């Protein structure tokens, strides 16, 4: 029996499907419950009524809602924890989104005494996410031997740095000089100015791809190679790019990337993620307990309110509004080209997020994106709550094909930015416009040359000593691409 168990375990680890230990699963589940409790406490003690203008004026707790919310949280959290695997990068995307989206939804449902259909819609959405993650995880990709092609490898290694340099030069031109975005108070003005001077479709995407993913990726690579001067230069380039449109997500992605790279280094397994819910709950609790201090106010405003509760409140606003309205069927966005054939946007407005800012907060100055369940329900109702999460998790699972067993530092920028934009934005915009799919394509080609470790960290071979272009990499070269400690 032990021999069979060891054989199965070895097979699963070789396929990149090593599960978390029981202790780590218990730690993760306990962390989720603590995170939820910290949200309830901080909402009551710090956010309400200090942020009444942001939809935090209502506090109407109910014992029945408390029981229902925790029961449904456990119903979703237990399978989410049980499916945790230490070598599937897609689990980081699913787990991070679960923490930032579903857990705050359960808290908002309780503290604001929202209708039951809000939490039931959330559970339907997340049931499909978890089912999709499980079934797509059964797909076993046929392994391909990487090839050694020096010219192609050099081009792939240089591409993120060249793209960052090109977009930085454009930022200098756009801003009329070198401009850095350090002060968060200035971000709203920068974002408003970008609306009056649009970048155009090509530059808009290049700026987003670079600011969200490729510039922080370059910083991560330089930190791993201990080229700290170049890492600092790229970080400043990224801050200048951020000054084009005042997107705080670019800044947070850069800062979090640097922090995680310094902590994780070349670690490839994901078992450290078991600590994430507990750490996030601790950050939220510190913000609430120290609310009267600058650090506490910063955490409560920019993390607890903006990242966690405001996104859930926006999702509720969209669901409440479209509960009795005709759905949009993506005619305002992905299928807008059908307008010329007579299929018109049922809402009758060009900027849905600005319209919903007026609906939710009573002012056209705020653009309120739907995010996750709000986006799915706004477009296709119940059907959207079933299909959208399957599309989302299928694209997440493609990441397993190209970055599995690579150092987390290489793909942490796309993890952070994609998760944040998914919580706030439109499903298809996130994947098409903010760097996920471009990075997925880029990572696919990198994997053909031995992986990120082989392309970026492996020492260059002396002339005449390595394989010729097109030959298969040696076992030693492939091992260098795994990025494991």
């Amino acid at each position: 029996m032990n021999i069979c168990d060891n054989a199965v375990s070895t097979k699963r680890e070789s396929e990149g499907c090593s599960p978390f230990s029981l202790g780590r699963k218990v730690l993760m589940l306990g962390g989720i419950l603590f995170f939820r409790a910290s949200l309830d406490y901080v909402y009551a003690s710090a956010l309400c009524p200090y942020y009444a203008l942001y939809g935090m004026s209502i506090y109407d707790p109910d014992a029945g809602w408390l029981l229902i919310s925790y029961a449904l949280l456990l119903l979703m959290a237990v399978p989410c924890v049980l499916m945790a695997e230490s070598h599937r990068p897609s689990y980081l995307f699913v787990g991070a989104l679960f923490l930032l989206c579903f857990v705050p939804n359960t808290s908002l449902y309780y503290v604001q005494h929202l209708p039951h259909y809000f939490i039931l819609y959330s559970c339907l959405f997340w049931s499909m996410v978890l089912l999709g993650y499980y079934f797509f995880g059964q797909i076993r990709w046929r392994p391909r031997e990487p090839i050694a092609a020096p010219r192609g490898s050099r081009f792939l290694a240089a591409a993120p740095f060249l793209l960052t340099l090109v977009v930085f030069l454009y930022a200098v031109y756009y801003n009329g000089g070198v401009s850095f975005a350090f002060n968060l108070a200035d971000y709203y003005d920068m974002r408003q100015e970008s609306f009056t001077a649009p970048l155009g479709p090509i530059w808009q995407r290049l700026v987003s791809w670079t600011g969200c993913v490729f510039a922080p990726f370059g910083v991560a690579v330089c930190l791993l190679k201990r080229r700290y001067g170049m890492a600092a230069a790229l970080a400043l380039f990224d801050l200048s790019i951020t000054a084009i449109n005042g997107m705080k997500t670019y800044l947070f992605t850069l800062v979090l990337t640097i922090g995680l790279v310094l902590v994780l280094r070349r670690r490839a397994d994901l078992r450290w993620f078991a600590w994430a819910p507990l750490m996030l709950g601790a950050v939220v609790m510190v913000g609430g307990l120290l609310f009267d201090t600058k650090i506490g106010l910063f955490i409560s405003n920019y993390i607890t309110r903006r990242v966690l509760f405001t996104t859930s409140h926006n999702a509720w606003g969209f669901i409440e509004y479209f509960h009795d309205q005709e759905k949009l069927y993506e005619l305002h966005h992905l299928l807008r080209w059908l307008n010329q054939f007579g299929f018109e946007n049922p809402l009758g407005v060009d900027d849905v997020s600005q319209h919903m800012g007026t609906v939710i907060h009573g002012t056209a100055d705020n653009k309120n994106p739907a995010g996750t369940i709000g986006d799915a329900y706004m477009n296709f109702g119940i059907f959207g709550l079933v299909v959208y999460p399957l599309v989302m998790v299928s694209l997440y699972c493609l990441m397993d094909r190209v970055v599995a067993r690579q150092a987390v530092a290489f793909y942490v920028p796309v993890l952070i930015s994609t998760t944040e934009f998914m919580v706030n934005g439109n499903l298809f915009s996130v994947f098409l416009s903010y760097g996920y799919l471009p990075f997925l394509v880029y990572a696919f080609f990198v994997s053909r040359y031995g992986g990120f470790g082989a392309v970026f960290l492996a020492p260059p071979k002396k002339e005449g000593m390595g394989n010729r272009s097109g030959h298969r990499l040696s076992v030693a070269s492939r091992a260098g691409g795994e990025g494991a400690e």
Side-chain angles (χ1 to χ4, degrees):
M1 182 67 180
N2 291 336
I3 295 176
C4 294
D5 289 343
N6 290 338
V8 171
S9 176
T10 302
K11 180 180 179 182
R12 286 177 60 84
E13 289 181 3
S14 67
E15 291 176 346
C17 298
S18 176
F20 283 28
S21 66
L22 177 61
R24 289 183 182 274
K25 290 178 180 180
V26 172
L27 171 66
M28 190 172 179
L29 184 60
I32 290 174
L33 294 176
F34 173 70
F35 174 43
R36 162 62 201 276
S38 68
L39 289 174
D40 294 348
Y41 167 77
V42 173
Y43 183 93
S45 63
L47 301 188
C48 178
Y50 294 101
Y51 295 104
L53 294 177
Y54 300 98
M56 309 295 163
S57 60
I58 301 173
Y59 182 62
D60 187 19
D62 181 272
W65 265 243
L66 178 67
L67 180 63
I68 293 172
S69 64
Y70 270 95
L72 293 177
L73 175 61
L74 283 172
L75 184 65
M76 294 292 105
V78 169
C80 182
V81 170
L82 290 177
M83 286 191 289
E85 293 174 342
S86 62
H87 291 291
R88 281 188 65 186
S90 59
Y91 187 76
L92 282 184
F93 290 84
V94 171
L97 194 63
F98 182 86
L99 294 177
L100 297 184
C101 175
F102 183 72
V103 179
N105 283 357
T106 64
S107 181
L108 188 74
Y109 162 78
Y110 160 62
V111 297
Q112 294 196 354
H113 204 170
L114 299 180
H116 294 314
Y117 63 81
F118 172 67
I119 196 65
L120 293 177
Y121 288 171
S122 297
C123 288
L124 174 59
F125 183 96
W126 274 97
S127 296
M128 300 312 299
V129 170
L130 297 176
L131 284 172
Y133 176 80
Y134 174 78
F135 284 109
F136 288 124
Q138 304 308 306
I139 299 174
R140 291 291 174 254
W141 303 97
R142 185 178 66 180
R144 290 184 177 183
E145 289 290 326
I147 61 175
R151 291 183 180 178
S153 180
R154 293 191 193 104
F155 171 78
L156 288 171
F161 303 95
L162 293 176
L163 179 61
T164 301
L165 178 60
V166 169
V167 178
F168 166 70
L169 294 176
Y170 176 78
V172 173
Y173 164 77
Y174 181 89
N175 294 321
V178 178
S179 178
F180 299 119
F182 291 110
N183 190 352
L184 291 178
D186 296 334
Y187 274 63
Y188 177 80
D189 293 333
M190 289 185 288
R191 191 159 57 248
Q192 292 299 115
E193 291 176 3
S194 69
F195 295 151
T196 62
L199 303 177
I202 295 178
W203 280 111
Q204 179 66 52
R205 282 167 174 76
L206 289 178
V207 167
S208 297
W209 297 351
T210 307
C212 292
V213 175
F214 288 104
F217 170 81
V219 173
V221 169
C222 291
L223 289 176
L224 290 179
K225 299 183 74 170
R226 293 183 174 86
R227 296 184 177 178
Y228 301 115
M230 190 171 182
L234 285 173
L236 291 175
F237 285 1
D238 197 16
L239 288 173
S240 182
I241 293 169
T242 303
I244 292 178
N245 52 20
M247 296 291 287
K248 287 191 288 288
T249 300
Y250 297 2
L251 177 62
F252 288 154
T253 299
L254 177 64
V255 172
L256 290 176
T257 295
I258 294 173
L260 286 174
V261 171
L262 294 177
V263 171
L264 299 176
R265 295 293 179 175
R266 300 187 186 184
R267 185 168 181 170
D269 73 272
L270 310 178
R271 289 188 288 268
W272 54 271
F273 188 72
W275 290 92
L278 185 63
M279 297 300 294
L280 189 56
V283 169
V284 171
M285 186 65 75
V286 166
L289 294 174
L290 302 180
F291 187 71
D292 293 332
T293 67
K294 289 185 178 180
I295 184 65
L297 183 62
F298 179 89
I299 292 173
S300 296
N301 184 32
Y302 288 106
I303 297 178
T304 309
R305 179 196 67 81
R306 177 63 188 88
V307 176
L308 301 172
F309 273 114
T310 295
T311 52
S312 289
H313 183 262
N314 288 344
W316 157 240
F318 274 80
I319 288 177
E320 182 186 34
Y321 181 77
F322 284 97
H323 195 258
D324 298 317
Q325 294 282 340
E326 185 177 358
K327 307 305 182 283
L328 299 187
Y329 308 107
E330 287 289 349
L331 292 172
H332 69 297
H333 182 253
L334 186 67
L335 302 179
R336 183 180 295 175
W337 55 273
L338 290 176
N339 295 166
Q340 59 185 325
F341 298 104
F343 297 92
E344 297 183 358
N345 171 6
L347 199 59
V349 298
D350 293 329
D351 194 332
V352 174
S353 62
Q354 188 172 34
H355 173 77
M356 292 306 298
T358 304
V359 171
I360 296 174
H361 294 295
T363 173
D365 293 336
N366 289 334
K367 287 194 173 187
N368 286 81
T372 53
I373 62 170
D375 177 50
Y377 188 79
M378 169 182 70
N379 284 292
F380 292 99
I382 300 295
F383 180 73
L385 296 174
V386 173
V387 174
Y388 273 48
L390 293 178
V391 173
M392 179 186 74
V393 78
S394 67
L395 292 173
Y396 281 162
C397 288
L398 288 177
M399 196 63 76
D400 295 337
R401 174 68 176 83
V402 293
V403 300
R405 309 189 76 84
Q406 303 294 318
V408 178
F410 289 120
Y411 57 88
V412 73
V414 75
L415 163 70
I416 297 170
S417 59
T418 299
T419 302
E420 175 64 13
F421 280 114
M422 190 64 71
V423 171
N424 285 279
N426 174 276
L427 172 70
F428 298 103
S429 289
V430 172
F431 286 118
L432 294 172
S433 301
Y434 295 107
Y436 183 88
L437 288 180
F439 183 83
L440 190 67
V441 173
Y442 177 74
F444 170 78
F445 285 105
V446 171
S447 69
R448 298 294 290 127
Y449 293 93
F452 287 100
V455 171
F456 287 99
L457 302 181
K461 295 184 178 182
K462 296 180 180 179
E463 293 295 332
M465 295 298 292
N467 292 329
R468 290 177 298 173
S469 176
H471 287 196
R472 300 300 178 184
L473 286 173
S474 66
V475 175
S477 297
R478 293 197 301 272
E482 290 186 1
E485 288 185 314

